Amino acid sequence: MEPEDVDEEEFGFSRNYFLAKELGTSSKKSGRKVTDIDLVDEQELREAVANIEPKHEKEIDELIKSYKSLYEEWVLELRCGFGLLMYGFGSKRTLLEDFASASLSEYSVVVINGYLQSINLKQVVITLAELLWDQLKMHQKTTSGRSQKSQQPFNVQSMDDLLAFLHGPHHEDSENFVCVIVHNIDGPGLRDPDTQQHLARIAACSHVRIVASIDHVNALLLWDKKMIHTQFNWYWHHVPTFAPYKVEGMFLPLVLAQGGSSQSAKTASIVLQSLTPNAQNVFKVLAEYQLANPDEEGMPVIKLYTICHERFLVSNQITLNSHLTEFKDHELVKTRRDDDGQDCLYIPISNEALEKILKDISL
């Protein structure tokens, strides 16, 4: 083949590629709206889910038995200072609790249900400190016949003092620890960065061992290298159970069901995830402004443009208008006039739902 033919072929390929990209971009706009999502009654959907017949029960039983044969190995890993992180499809709640009752009976165990919407982590740390204190008193009494010295009440101590106690060199015996079982450490009640930092500090305490499960596809984004390898010190176990998330699902609204603000957040999140990252970030600016200024009619367009331009989300007013048009087409954003007569943008969703949306699209 002559060099001229090769150049012509490469040119033709490049031209067709960019032409296809241009055509694809221009026709990519989604036509979905929040009101287009057909949702059924939540109670009806929950009943339908509850009536689904289980399948492959024999194979699943054999799978669970294979995990139970690993219990001694898991306990050894805990004694060596590792944290156990269980991942894989299916609820791991029953498996972790069976492991705790079967193999951790000689240790004090605290269970954290991360699938709940809110968790008092300070109270969890207080409970851990109290259990360790009782354990140390018992050990001191059996070895020396004397009781441990009195201790300031834990419920009046700061988080730093409590963690210092859990990490303190109370006894040379490394077996003296309390165990924390965390169902869904990536759940809604534990997902924020501050809570994850506190959990990492708890896991790093010398007298604490942690066993946790994860289920969210982006769970690893919750941690940095130090948290994974130094503080949590995870030992990973792939333990798919294929069990339904019955208990975990009771505390979360169903995506396909009608409901209040929680469902508004879910349906809006579905639409937002079909948009570009830049469009999502523009929506975040508007949502954050609305949450910070609940008494205003909305956010003036010029103010939205100024903030988005400063954050390099849009380069000009035309780009912003294209995003706003898409939001309005999807019924995510509406316009109304304030007392001064200027057009303001607002999101017709409750503040509670907006907060849920911001969390969902940040993952």
Side-chain angles (χ1 to χ4, degrees), residues 289-336:
Y289 181 89
Q290 183 163 313
L291 290 172
N293 303 275
D295 298 327
E296 295 188 11
E297 290 294 323
M299 186 177 191
V301 177
I302 187 64
K303 184 175 287 190
L304 176 63
Y305 171 72
T306 301
I307 295 176
C308 291
H309 190 267
E310 289 173 351
R311 298 183 184 180
F312 302 102
L313 300 178
V314 298
S315 57
N316 51 55
Q317 185 72 45
I318 296 174
T319 306
L320 177 63
N321 288 342
S322 67
H323 289 318
L324 294 179
T325 301
E326 199 156 20
F327 294 155
K328 292 173 184 177
D329 289 344
H330 295 311
E331 299 180 351
L332 291 172
V333 172
K334 294 186 178 181
T335 306
R336 61 188 170 197

Side-chain angles (χ1 to χ4, degrees), residues 81-262:
F82 290 100
L84 306 185
L85 187 62
M86 311 301 189
Y87 69 100
F89 181 79
S91 172
K92 291 158 284 292
R93 182 175 174 273
T94 302
L95 177 66
L96 295 191
E97 293 189 355
D98 182 72
F99 168 60
S101 61
S103 301
L104 299 178
S105 56
E106 59 183 285
Y107 304 102
S108 299
V109 178
V110 174
V111 177
I112 301 176
N113 295 318
Y115 49 78
L116 299 178
Q117 295 298 318
S118 61
I119 293 166
N120 188 340
L121 202 58
K122 174 72 177 292
Q123 188 56 51
V124 171
V125 179
I126 290 172
T127 303
L128 289 172
E130 290 174 344
L131 290 172
L132 179 61
W133 176 252
D134 292 340
Q135 204 167 303
L136 291 170
K137 281 198 302 183
M138 183 71 67
H139 189 278
Q140 184 79 8
K141 193 171 182 180
T142 56
T143 55
S144 64
R146 293 179 298 164
S147 298
Q148 194 92 342
K149 290 188 289 185
S150 61
Q151 167 71 31
Q152 181 187 11
F154 291 110
N155 57 3
V156 298
Q157 295 188 29
S158 67
M159 180 70 88
D160 288 338
D161 291 337
L162 291 167
L163 292 174
F165 173 76
L166 292 171
H167 193 57
H170 303 295
H171 198 274
E172 294 180 358
D173 185 6
S174 60
E175 293 293 305
N176 222 343
F177 60 80
V178 290
C179 192
V180 184
I181 304 291
V182 187
H183 298 302
N184 304 99
I185 196 171
D186 53 342
L190 302 173
R191 199 174 288 167
D192 63 281
D194 290 340
T195 300
Q196 288 294 325
Q197 288 288 346
H198 280 115
L199 284 171
R201 293 179 64 192
I202 293 169
C205 293
S206 58
H207 293 280
V208 175
R209 299 292 185 274
I210 188 167
V211 182
S213 64
I214 58 172
D215 287 285
H216 199 285
V217 66
N218 291 326
L220 291 184
L221 298 179
L222 297 172
W223 310 313
D224 56 30
K225 267 188 179 180
K226 178 184 176 184
M227 295 168 74
I228 291 177
H229 299 297
T230 306
Q231 294 177 301
F232 286 120
N233 196 21
W234 290 129
Y235 199 111
W236 300 73
H237 287 281
H238 185 223
V239 288
T241 63
F242 303 98
Y245 295 93
K246 287 184 178 179
V247 176
E248 298 90 332
M250 288 174 61
F251 301 93
L252 292 173
L254 298 175
V255 176
L256 300 176
Q258 292 177 355
S261 61
S262 296

Side-chain angles (χ1 to χ4, degrees), residues 6-25:
V6 175
D7 292 342
E8 182 66 28
E9 184 179 350
E10 289 182 351
F11 174 76
F13 176 79
S14 301
R15 181 174 175 276
N16 291 335
Y17 171 78
F18 287 108
L19 181 61
K21 288 288 285 184
E22 183 180 349
L23 292 173
T25 303

Side-chain angles (χ1 to χ4, degrees), residues 298-302 328 335-338 340-345:
M299 186 177 191
V301 177
I302 187 64
K328 292 173 184 177
T335 306
R336 61 188 170 197
R337 293 194 174 182
D338 62 8
D340 298 329
Q342 62 178 339
D343 289 336
C344 293
L345 303 165

